[in-house]
Amino acid sequence: MADLERFRAEAAAWLDANAPKEIRGIELDPDKGGNWGGRRATFDPPPMKDWLDRCAAKGWTAPEWPREYGGGGLSPAEAKAVDQERKRLGLPEPLVGFGLTMIGPVLQRFGTEEQRHEHLTRIIRGEIRWCQGYSEPDSGSDLASLQTRAVRDGDEFIVNGTKVWTSYGDLSDWIFALVRTDPDVKKQEGISFLLIDMQTPGVSVRPIQLISGKSPFCETRFDDVRVPVANVIGEINGGWTVAKALLGHERTMIAELFGAQRGGSRSSGSSLGNLARHYLDAPDGAPLPDAVLRDKIAAAEMDTRAFHLTVQRARDAAKAGHQPGPESSLFKVYATEINKRRCELAVEIAGPQGLGWQGPGFDAEELARTRAWLRSRGNSIEGGTSEIQLNIIAKHVLGLPD
Ligand SMILES: Cc1cc2nc3c(=O)[nH]c(=O)nc-3n(C[C@H](O)[C@H](O)[C@H](O)COP(=O)(O)OP(=O)(O)OC[C@H]3O[C@@H](n4cnc5c(N)ncnc54)[C@H](O)[C@@H]3O)c2cc1C
């Protein structure tokens, strides 16, 4: 314990000495959600680049990853101390993204030594932004029915097909994609997990506009794209195992994202109680006049807090290198349901001001709240729908029959 406290003090001193003053206490643009890195990364404010580079050099963009790939080599307890001290000092995360949360952990488990050295180091330095090529126009929940074909030609595959709902495909450098390498066997047994550089000729990306007015999704097409066979992760035709492992990490990431979030909505930054005081013009310290609303807010805040602590406890109990299993579906369902509930409640509290779309009658926070509410509808779809999560929980957690 004494060692951990000493480490914590040293970590705080390092963070304090190395964080540029311009990034202290800044509110990051909620739409961007932090620094995603990549070849086309923009840094707002510009000293975020120094912050990224300094943390990357120390391995603290990926504090728990092995040192041999450039990670921090910290224990889970030490990594948590770094995270807590960073937050206490009001410093943003140096790097976020699917490299750190999804493909990185999978490469550590299934990648060859060469693949790990090539990709993990670039993820840690924030040089490559990754996106996910799983869903197709006719394959969502029934993911194993995917039709994107990869036909072998010597040391390469020739890939043809279309992926859809590729989040941030237009901003990403590499895609981890599921492709069909054997069409003549049981559908799960003919899939490979392939890494594709999106600058390869034949890859094209088209943004898709959403109800929220934003366009974070893309359709990604592959037309005779040549990809080295060496880019397969795991066994050829063994991609389904790798794909499921990655989904465990994705669902855990979603749970941690919403589990850590205690504001009135992703974009409001204030608690639901503060929001209600503002719109009901209620004085500080006195109970809110509307008892029904008061009850709803108290229940939502308590459920959020309890969930946050549960996620923390699960994280603390996990050993280094822990691989999330089907229980990640439990966390994903609850996290996304509670986020939807909070966003609904925030809009209800704001009344007519909660339904602004554009125009002078609404301030920026109100417009962001409406869009966050609409965006929250997608939470129970992305990473696998809630219905699919409930099926997984029934079968693989509770052991119920089909
Ligand atoms: C915000 C967001 C981000 C996303 N990002 C990505 C990404 O980056 N990369 C990517 O590859 N995909 C991404 N997706 C796609 C997502 O994974 C799929 O939308 C999802 O898996 C559902 O597939 P579908 O849309 O084809 O719906 P369908 O599979 O057609 O499902 C339609 C409805 O039927 C229900 N249903 C289907 N099968 C069953 C069943 N067996 N039992 C009970 N109910 C069932 C579903 O729950 C759903 O309500 C994203 C989606 C969203 C909303």
Side-chain angles (χ1 to χ4, degrees), residues 98 131-137 139-142 163-168 210 217 250 375 378-379 381-388 391:
F98 301 161
C131 62
Q132 178 184 35
Y134 273 33
S135 307
E136 297 184 2
S139 302
S141 299
D142 183 13
K163 297 290 176 180
V164 76
W165 316 128
T166 323
S167 298
Y168 312 114
L210 296 189
F217 283 138
E250 180 175 8
R375 174 63 183 82
N379 293 160
I381 303 173
E382 60 199 310
T385 66
S386 290
E387 289 78 16
I388 295 302
N391 284 346

Side-chain angles (χ1 to χ4, degrees), residues 99-246:
L100 289 175
T101 53
M102 290 200 246
I103 185 67
V106 160
L107 279 166
Q108 288 179 54
R109 180 166 166 203
F110 295 97
T112 61
E113 209 43 42
E114 211 174 356
Q115 288 168 337
R116 291 182 197 161
H117 275 288
E118 178 182 356
H119 296 293
L120 295 179
T121 47
R122 293 196 290 174
I123 292 170
I124 289 167
R125 292 198 297 256
E127 292 171 359
I128 296 295
R129 182 167 179 169
W130 286 87
C131 62
Q132 178 184 35
Y134 273 33
S135 307
E136 297 184 2
D138 293 319
S139 302
S141 299
D142 183 13
L143 184 59
S145 67
L146 61 97
Q147 294 299 321
T148 294
R149 280 285 275 133
V151 176
R152 191 155 181 175
D153 181 26
D155 289 343
E156 293 179 324
F157 282 115
I158 302 174
V159 181
N160 280 286
T162 302
K163 297 290 176 180
V164 76
W165 316 128
T166 323
S167 298
Y168 312 114
D170 52 342
L171 300 172
S172 297
D173 307 304
W174 279 68
I175 183 167
F176 46 90
L178 297 180
V179 294
R180 183 154 304 285
T181 35
D182 188 343
D184 299 323
V185 291
K186 194 177 154 209
K187 58 187 178 179
Q188 286 86 352
E189 290 167 8
I191 293 171
S192 298
F193 190 105
L194 192 61
L195 308 184
I196 304 176
D197 184 339
M198 296 182 83
Q199 286 181 336
T200 315
V203 179
S204 56
V205 175
R206 189 175 64 86
I208 303 169
Q209 188 103 10
L210 296 189
I211 187 176
S212 63
K214 300 283 164 47
S215 196
F217 283 138
C218 297
E219 182 187 81
T220 306
R221 280 180 56 101
F222 303 101
D223 293 298
D224 290 331
V225 177
R226 289 191 162 267
V227 184
V229 170
N231 286 12
V232 171
I233 304 301
E235 302 291 321
I236 294 175
N237 294 326
W240 191 241
T241 305
V242 185
K244 283 191 293 182
L246 185 134

